[in-house]
Amino acid sequence: MSDAASREPARDPQDLERMLIERQWAGDIEGMLALFEPDAVVDSGAGEWIRGREAIRELFEQSFATGRKFQRGEQRPALVKGDLALTSTKLPDGSITAEVARRQSDGTWLWAIDRYSVAF
């Protein structure tokens, strides 16, 4: 994946999940981070919320170090209201993700909130 392709912005909130997985599999942390708002919040299920791109970068670097790869799942259609969208995917292990994306001033979409699993 070229740098230009890895940095292509999401023009539809439905594209974010696919782009994140493609970039992770390509080893492109910067491309992954480009899908999140600068002050985004991620709940990875590890008991703490990760806030901001630098902290999210550390989370992704740790994931790369373990060799863990995100898996494609059954993505639900994005639920869009104005400049907000709820995205969700049922993963092969049965867990379900939930994310909130926001339309940016240039019309592209970035995640503001990412919860790896909505199971309690």
Side-chain angles (χ1 to χ4, degrees):
M1 179 179 298
S2 72
D3 283 344
S6 69
R7 300 306 188 288
E8 181 68 27
R11 304 265 178 225
D12 183 311
Q14 200 69 22
D15 294 335
L16 290 164
E17 182 79 14
R18 174 188 53 78
M19 294 169 105
L20 182 73
I21 292 169
E22 287 173 356
R23 293 171 188 192
Q24 188 207 34
W25 280 71
D28 183 9
I29 289 178
E30 293 306 314
M32 294 169 69
L33 290 170
L35 301 174
F36 291 85
E37 290 185 343
D39 60 347
V41 177
V42 173
D43 177 1
S44 68
E48 63 182 83
W49 291 355
I50 312 301
R51 297 180 185 275
R53 280 190 182 151
E54 287 310 308
I56 295 169
R57 177 193 317 278
E58 290 177 23
L59 176 69
F60 289 158
E61 287 173 348
Q62 291 169 4
S63 178
F64 272 68
T66 66
R68 178 176 174 241
K69 296 285 188 183
F70 296 144
Q71 299 298 311
R72 290 197 191 278
E74 178 186 340
Q75 190 172 3
R76 300 293 303 157
L79 179 59
V80 179
K81 182 181 184 314
D83 291 335
L84 295 176
L86 176 64
T87 60
S88 182
T89 301
K90 183 176 182 182
L91 300 174
D93 68 2
S95 63
I96 299 171
T97 71
E99 305 85 24
V100 176
R102 186 180 352 249
R103 187 186 335 256
Q104 306 299 298
S105 61
D106 64 357
T108 62
W109 291 84
L110 296 176
W111 276 322
I113 301 171
D114 183 359
R115 178 167 272 171
Y116 284 16
S117 176
V118 293
F120 294 91

